[in-house]
Amino acid sequence: MTTHGSTSHSLTVGRTAASVYALLADPTEPVRSSPTVVHIACLERTATGDLVQRWVADGDAVRTWTARRELDPAAGTVAFEHLGPPPPVTSLRGEWRVRTVGPEECLVELWHSWEAADDDGAFAARMERGIPMQLAALKRTAEQGAEAAARTVRQEDALFLDAPVTEVRAFLRDAGAWPRRVPGCRTAESVHTGPEHQIVLYETGAAPAARRAFVHLPDRTAWKQLGELPPLHTSLRGTFALETDGTGTRVTAVRTAVLGPVAASGTGRGREELTRHVNKARDEADPALLDGLARAFGPAQGAPSASPRSEGA
């Protein structure tokens, strides 16, 4: 039996409709604002829309889907349709609508319609749990604006490894081997594994056990920390970009931490001290995957050295 459902949610955002619409139009923005969106790949882009694939952490699993989006800035709408949604859903489409209600205020509406086969309302319940969180994340991102950007710390490191890219990808995916190959990693377990993704629970001894979702693609691995975060953090994510010239593999690791507004402005710490704290939290709480890669494979012959870069708060 096929069931039909629809739902509509809305909230008011204290920003102009144009600025909020710009966030919705950016296909990868949810990676920054949502606590559960791990990675988004823009597969195709046209003058009026795009085709995107999302990977989202859902409990102890990662879900992925592809959606076609059509943008109409003049009407303030972003219409979308999921292509080949996973069972029990057989059809899912919806639309974002943004309209001005005041000089610095707009109303954001999100509408969904779907068909599902024999799911006893489970999909509808999941939508009712997830959509309010999605809207709240959009509101928080829009209203914090530049202030949140000032609290974002981005760190970048690069290595040139004497190893084919296939072996580097295998290293990043083999969480069970991290305790013997990654400095500081005491235990690691894949609690969910899929063709392109996994969720890993690991311990370093310097912080409580951490959960991270990983998305493994041919040219990169993206990750996001789920649940408990290091002190002062409201978000923690990163990527390992992989490039090869046939003689070795260049790995560029980017780690992005967002600090909480209360911690940033209410504890008496200045920007410099907060940056030091984030760097310390990285060293204590992260499995040092980049160090593990360097020990496992060594630098590629004749590879230039790279210094870490840090930007932000």
Side-chain angles (χ1 to χ4, degrees):
M1 182 181 71
T2 298
T3 60
H4 302 262
S6 64
T7 185
S8 179
H9 296 76
S10 65
L11 86 174
T12 301
V13 179
R15 283 292 185 268
T16 64
S19 63
V20 174
Y21 187 85
L23 291 176
L24 293 173
D26 180 349
T28 61
E29 193 284 325
V31 174
R32 297 185 290 275
S33 63
S34 170
T36 59
V37 177
V38 182
H39 185 63
I40 297 177
C42 190
L43 307 177
E44 177 186 311
R45 187 172 291 185
T46 69
T48 59
D50 49 48
L51 178 67
V52 298
Q53 184 173 2
R54 286 191 180 195
W55 288 264
V56 176
D58 184 6
D60 285 330
V62 174
R63 294 186 295 113
T64 183
W65 67 86
T66 303
R68 173 77 63 185
R69 306 196 317 156
E70 294 295 329
L71 282 61
D72 187 342
T77 61
V78 178
F80 55 87
E81 181 176 5
H82 290 212
L83 307 182
V89 180
T90 56
S91 172
L92 176 62
R93 60 178 57 86
E95 186 174 81
W96 291 90
R97 302 163 184 161
V98 184
R99 61 184 177 88
T100 299
V101 294
E104 284 287 329
E105 193 174 52
C106 66
L107 180 68
V108 178
E109 298 173 286
L110 178 54
W111 166 81
H112 285 85
S113 175
W114 66 85
E115 295 180 357
D118 297 322
D119 76 332
D120 289 331
F123 181 73
R126 191 170 79 193
M127 297 288 279
E128 291 300 327
R129 289 193 305 269
I131 294 173
M133 291 191 293
Q134 187 178 9
L135 286 167
L138 175 69
K139 177 181 174 73
R140 182 171 59 250
T141 300
E143 293 183 348
Q144 290 178 357
E147 190 261 340
R151 294 187 280 101
T152 299
V153 175
R154 182 182 183 274
Q155 296 157 325
E156 181 177 319
D157 300 87
L159 283 176
F160 294 81
L161 301 175
D162 186 18
V165 69
T166 52
E167 291 186 17
V168 176
R169 282 200 299 262
F171 179 101
L172 293 172
R173 189 177 179 101
D174 188 10
W178 291 355
R180 67 177 185 272
R181 304 182 77 182
V182 174
C185 184
R186 295 174 62 181
T187 65
E189 177 189 6
S190 291
V191 295
H192 164 77
T193 302
E196 300 171 325
H197 47 262
Q198 63 187 147
I199 292 179
V200 176
L201 181 68
Y202 68 87
E203 290 184 279
T204 64
R211 257 170 86 245
R212 281 191 184 169
F214 290 81
V215 174
H216 302 285
L217 301 176
D219 67 337
R220 72 190 56 241
T221 286
W223 60 266
K224 178 169 282 189
Q225 187 144 326
L226 310 173
E228 187 166 348
L229 295 164
L232 300 185
H233 291 58
T234 62
S235 174
L236 184 57
R237 68 183 190 275
T239 58
F240 293 91
L242 310 178
E243 301 174 85
T244 182
D245 61 2
T247 61
T249 302
R250 176 188 173 93
V251 183
T252 303
V254 175
R255 180 183 184 279
T256 303
V258 182
L259 307 180
V262 174
S265 60
T267 64
R269 294 186 176 93
R271 277 192 173 191
E272 186 176 339
E273 187 174 348
L274 281 171
T275 301
R276 286 199 300 269
H277 182 95
V278 171
N279 291 337
K280 182 173 182 291
R282 174 197 61 184
D283 295 337
E284 292 181 348
D286 282 5
L289 293 177
L290 210 59
D291 291 343
L293 283 166
R295 293 187 184 189
F297 302 114
Q301 197 166 20
S305 60
S307 301
R309 291 184 290 170
S310 182
E311 306 167 2

